[in-house]
Amino acid sequence: MTRLQSSPAGMKRLALGLLLAAALLYALATWQAPRHAAWGYVAAFAEAAMVGAIADWFAVVALFRHPLGLPIPHTAIIPENKDRIGENLANFLCQHFLATDQVLARVREFDAAGRVAAWLAVPAHAEQVGERLVAVARWAAGALDDDRVRQFVAGLAASGLRQVDVTRLSGQVLEAMTQDRRHQELLDGVLLQLARLLGEDAVQDTITEAIAREIKALKYVGLDQMAARMATRKVVVIIAKTIIDMADDPEHNLRLRFDELVSGFVHRLKDDPVVHQRGERLKAEVLDNPALGAYVNQLWTQLLGWLQTDMSQPDSSIRRRITQAAQTLGERLARDEAVRNWINGELQAAAPQLIERYREDIRRYIVARVRAWDAKEMTTELERHIGRDLQFIRINGTLVGGLVGLLIHTLTHWVR
């Protein structure tokens, strides 16, 4: 029995066997009925069992094909209504599984950030992330190590750079960097380094020697070094005083002149046609230089070679860093409830838009997929998956039908 029930074909043979057994039992009971009244009950059971088996066989077969090949109305239900079934299935899934409220409730319960954090915090899982990403990166590095890719990337980069107005862009970037007199911080840094530099003995000695060489007339009386040292002190003091004055006075004359210099330079970069033409000419010369292409090509080859070599090693530094980064990310997410709440909140905020955007696409895809499915193939697949259970209908119909027939026969004789 177990072996027979292991496949739809076995269940078909079992259901057919019960029908034949009912037919033989009916023939035997009819033949023996004159000899004893009990055979009438057996005959009623067998007769009703045959009716039930044949009726349920008809119902099961009618789902998938025309019984006995006869074009009986409302048979071959699944093949004849395949497209409508697909459309109804798609509508059902979208209404009951992809409804916005239901998906949002599931997203809220899911706690994606917490699950990701807990999963990544496990070292073995972080190692899996490293292995997968390194495998993808190794494949990409091998695929990109091709002359056609190099030429394409180089041409794409050169084309993109030619369209960029480098001069004007530089002016805009510099303008953004110097808003609110941020460049004055740079000037303060330069002045501070200059003051430190002038305070060093070696620098002062160098200045002294330079001044001594310029006052040759005092060399013959031995006063050149003394005069030079005095001059050096004067220079250092004057510069130090100037630095102090500039540090204390935001409106110092030198600061204002520095503002004008920077502003004028930004203006020329953005609006001066001469500077613009000069920048474009310089950019063209750099891009057209064959040495640049050869250098970039060499760097590209070396980079891909290093990546492939490292990622093929058992102790790959890239894999190790990816693993450490994944585990660290998981541990920090697990500790930071605020970030997890932010991630979950963003997912909940984005979910309705994504659902509304792709729900109809999913519905159309299901409809199109079922419509494109061959009716015979679909019927075969359904029978393969649920055919065994459908044969139980025939078996149960045989047994239940027989019992019902026996009950009716018994009640009839009792009433008589």
Side-chain angles (χ1 to χ4, degrees):
M1 177 69 71
T2 302
R3 187 156 50 89
L4 284 174
Q5 294 178 357
S6 62
S7 66
M11 295 299 298
K12 284 183 179 180
R13 289 193 293 269
L14 177 59
L16 180 60
L18 288 176
L19 173 60
L20 294 177
L24 291 174
L25 183 61
Y26 177 75
L28 177 62
T30 302
W31 176 47
Q32 294 292 334
R35 298 186 178 184
H36 196 282
W39 286 106
Y41 291 89
V42 176
F45 172 85
E47 181 181 12
M50 287 189 296
V51 173
I54 294 173
D56 285 338
W57 166 83
F58 183 91
V60 170
V61 173
L63 287 173
F64 302 101
R65 59 184 62 85
H66 297 296
L68 302 177
L70 301 175
I72 302 173
H74 304 293
T75 58
I77 295 173
I78 292 177
E80 295 292 337
N81 299 275
K82 175 175 65 70
D83 295 345
R84 182 169 58 85
I85 292 173
E87 186 171 353
N88 291 337
L89 175 63
N91 293 334
F92 176 80
L93 290 175
C94 289
Q95 291 174 6
H96 298 281
F97 291 90
L98 295 177
T100 302
D101 294 340
Q102 295 174 343
V103 175
L104 282 179
R106 184 57 181 164
V107 170
R108 284 191 293 268
E109 296 173 0
F110 187 70
D111 185 20
R115 290 173 181 263
V116 171
W119 192 85
L120 288 178
V122 178
H125 296 164
E127 187 70 27
Q128 291 179 18
V129 174
E131 290 288 344
R132 298 295 186 274
L133 292 181
V134 165
V136 173
R138 188 165 57 243
W139 169 83
L144 294 175
D145 190 11
D146 189 283
D147 289 337
R148 293 168 295 182
V149 177
R150 292 192 189 94
Q151 295 175 4
F152 175 78
V153 172
L156 188 64
S159 176
L161 289 175
R162 291 183 189 279
Q163 297 177 6
V164 175
D165 190 343
V166 178
T167 307
R168 186 179 300 276
L169 179 61
S170 301
Q172 292 172 348
V173 171
L174 189 58
E175 183 180 32
M177 294 175 62
T178 57
Q179 283 183 350
D180 301 325
R181 302 186 73 185
R182 296 192 188 100
H183 54 283
Q184 291 293 341
E185 298 177 6
L186 176 63
L187 179 60
D188 291 338
V190 172
L191 293 176
L192 179 60
Q193 293 299 322
L194 178 60
R196 290 176 178 174
L197 187 64
L198 290 175
E200 296 178 1
D201 293 337
V203 175
Q204 293 184 11
D205 292 341
T206 302
I207 297 174
T208 300
E209 291 295 333
I211 295 176
R213 286 194 298 270
E214 294 298 328
I215 51 177
K216 299 177 182 178
L218 297 177
K219 181 178 180 181
Y220 300 101
V221 293
L223 298 177
D224 55 338
Q225 288 294 328
M226 182 182 298
R229 281 194 293 271
M230 292 178 63
T232 299
R233 294 194 193 95
K234 289 290 186 182
V235 170
V236 172
V237 169
I238 292 173
I239 294 177
K241 185 177 183 304
T242 303
I243 293 174
I244 293 174
D245 292 341
M246 292 181 65
D248 294 337
D249 186 7
E251 301 298 327
H252 193 278
N253 182 50
L254 292 179
R255 286 188 181 276
L256 297 179
R257 291 183 61 184
F258 183 63
D259 286 342
E260 295 175 359
L261 176 65
V262 172
S263 177
F265 183 62
V266 171
H267 175 73
R268 288 195 299 274
L269 285 176
K270 291 176 57 180
D271 303 321
D272 192 333
V274 176
V275 175
H276 182 269
Q277 291 176 2
R278 189 181 305 165
E280 290 298 308
R281 185 167 57 252
L282 178 61
K283 180 183 71 175
E285 291 176 358
V286 171
L287 293 176
D288 293 337
N289 193 332
L292 176 63
Y295 178 69
V296 173
N297 191 16
Q298 182 181 6
L299 286 179
W300 181 263
T301 303
Q302 292 177 349
L303 174 62
L304 292 180
W306 176 81
L307 288 174
Q308 289 177 324
T309 301
D310 179 85
M311 289 185 294
S312 62
Q313 300 296 325
D315 58 341
S316 168
S317 61
I318 296 177
R319 182 189 299 109
R320 185 170 60 253
R321 294 191 179 189
I322 292 176
T323 301
Q324 292 174 351
Q327 185 175 352
T328 301
L329 175 62
E331 292 172 350
R332 291 189 176 180
L333 273 178
R335 292 194 302 265
D336 198 328
E337 183 179 359
V339 174
R340 294 200 310 274
N341 291 336
W342 172 78
I343 293 175
N344 290 332
E346 291 299 317
L347 290 176
Q348 294 173 21
Q353 299 178 2
L354 295 176
I355 296 168
E356 296 297 333
R357 178 178 179 182
Y358 294 107
R359 179 166 49 209
E360 182 61 21
D361 293 340
I362 294 173
R363 192 193 71 81
R364 285 197 296 264
Y365 170 77
I366 296 174
V367 172
R369 184 67 186 91
V370 174
R371 185 173 296 160
W373 205 353
D374 180 71
K376 184 177 180 181
E377 179 186 358
M378 180 179 179
T379 302
T380 302
E381 286 296 316
L382 286 175
E383 281 189 302
R384 185 170 66 86
H385 285 89
I386 64 174
R388 180 175 177 275
D389 296 318
L390 290 176
Q391 299 310 314
F392 272 111
I393 296 177
R394 296 176 56 188
I395 295 171
N396 293 334
T398 303
L399 298 177
V400 173
L403 293 174
V404 172
L406 177 60
L407 178 61
I408 293 174
H409 182 77
T410 301
L411 292 176
T412 301
H413 277 275
W414 182 76
V415 170
R416 288 176 180 175

